[in-house]
Amino acid sequence: MDVKRRYVIPGDIIATGPLRPEQNVYQDGDRMISTCVGISEIFENSVKVIPLTGGYMPKTNDLVIGKVIGTSPLSWEFDINSCFVGFLPAQDVFGRDYSPTKDELRQRLDIGDLVATRIANFDRSRDPLLTVQDRDLGKIESGELVEISPSKVPRLIGKRGSMIQTIEMATKAIITIGQNGWIVISCDDSEGLLKAVEAVKMIDALAHTPNLTERVKSMLGVPDGENNDTIND
């Protein structure tokens, strides 16, 4: 699939010629012009711009949580909360002996499955390459998905991991954090699960406010003075 991509801003001429304008593009004569900041795509005879605001921009070595949205003979396609689609090669899961004729991808990872992956390679000229060849990576068997702004992930983690440790210790939950803003929370106790979800959503909504650490601790019922190395801003 030959897809041409580049960064554009409003007013940029993406291309000229007999093309069909789609998302965030308007036509002026034979010129296709962007209406937003984003990444333009020219595929076959259509032109569109995928807006950059709000989504995740991949970085090599980031841990991300992806959702399987499709397959090809050689790879899975993932939604990673980005304008880019992530690709996980079949050989990464099946090994070097993978054969498209005898191995069925959807027996390992099916549409809708959540997977903890790492970005193996990304250079902005093509969709990111994913891998599960690392410790604690692979299909996520259970848990609740919570989506937050990718820019709030450092605040959720906290200084030296203190904020996320506070939440996990208070709720007995296991929290997997994707740098793309997708968080999976697992907990055997339903009340603990609800508390952990509430804490993550609170941090997403109030990350810019002062005394957030104290608010989270109060909501979780953590006594003052416990885990004092959390960020107190």
Side-chain angles (χ1 to χ4, degrees):
M1 183 172 66
D2 184 22
V3 181
K4 297 179 181 179
R5 291 194 175 107
R6 68 183 179 92
Y7 287 92
V8 292
I9 62 174
D12 276 359
I13 299 172
I14 302 168
T16 58
L19 298 166
R20 183 177 70 252
E22 294 189 353
Q23 180 185 0
N24 300 310
V25 176
Y26 73 93
Q27 185 172 1
D28 180 15
D30 66 346
R31 303 184 302 171
M32 302 293 142
I33 300 175
S34 171
T35 63
C36 72
V37 177
I39 295 175
S40 66
E41 281 193 356
I42 303 174
F43 175 58
E44 293 181 344
N45 65 340
S46 67
V47 183
K48 69 178 179 179
V49 175
I50 304 169
L52 286 180
T53 54
Y56 163 70
M57 179 56 68
K59 288 196 305 182
T60 300
N61 292 325
D62 272 2
L63 189 152
V64 300
I65 292 172
K67 181 184 292 184
V68 179
I69 57 173
T71 62
S72 70
L74 298 176
S75 65
W76 290 269
E77 300 171 7
F78 281 81
D79 178 358
I80 55 170
N81 191 32
S82 174
C83 55
F84 295 94
V85 174
F87 285 86
L88 176 65
Q91 282 192 347
D92 205 75
V93 174
F94 286 94
R96 302 184 71 170
D97 294 332
Y98 167 71
S99 168
T101 56
K102 68 181 181 65
D103 296 315
E104 174 54 53
L105 268 64
R106 292 180 66 168
Q107 288 183 353
R108 294 288 188 96
L109 297 173
D110 205 352
I111 305 299
D113 283 349
L114 293 176
V115 184
T117 73
R118 193 172 297 281
I119 295 179
N121 191 19
F122 176 64
D123 62 7
R124 301 193 181 194
S125 66
R126 64 188 67 187
D127 288 315
L129 180 70
L130 306 177
T131 181
V132 292
Q133 294 299 312
D134 204 351
R135 183 180 175 185
D136 299 328
L137 299 183
K139 182 178 177 180
I140 298 173
E141 298 292 349
S142 63
E144 181 162 339
L145 177 66
V146 180
E147 299 182 30
I148 70 172
S149 169
S151 64
K152 309 291 178 61
V153 168
R155 193 68 183 86
L156 172 62
I157 295 171
K159 191 179 294 182
R160 298 185 299 278
S162 52
M163 181 69 88
I164 197 65
Q165 288 172 18
T166 295
I167 299 171
E168 288 185 325
M169 289 175 64
T171 62
K172 303 295 190 293
I174 297 173
I175 302 176
T176 304
I177 300 174
Q179 294 291 332
N180 57 333
W182 284 9
I183 319 298
V184 173
I185 305 174
S186 301
C187 189
D188 293 334
D189 176 59
S190 58
E191 184 177 347
L193 176 63
L194 290 173
K195 285 276 191 181
V197 170
E198 185 179 352
V200 170
K201 290 182 176 179
M202 176 185 288
I203 292 167
D204 184 41
L206 303 176
H208 59 289
T209 63
N211 304 315
L212 179 58
T213 296
E214 285 76 9
R215 293 189 195 192
V216 172
K217 284 184 176 181
S218 176
M219 188 272 291
L220 294 172
V222 176
D224 286 340
E226 193 168 315
N227 217 5
N228 272 334
D229 60 344
T230 44
I231 307 171
N232 291 295
D233 55 358

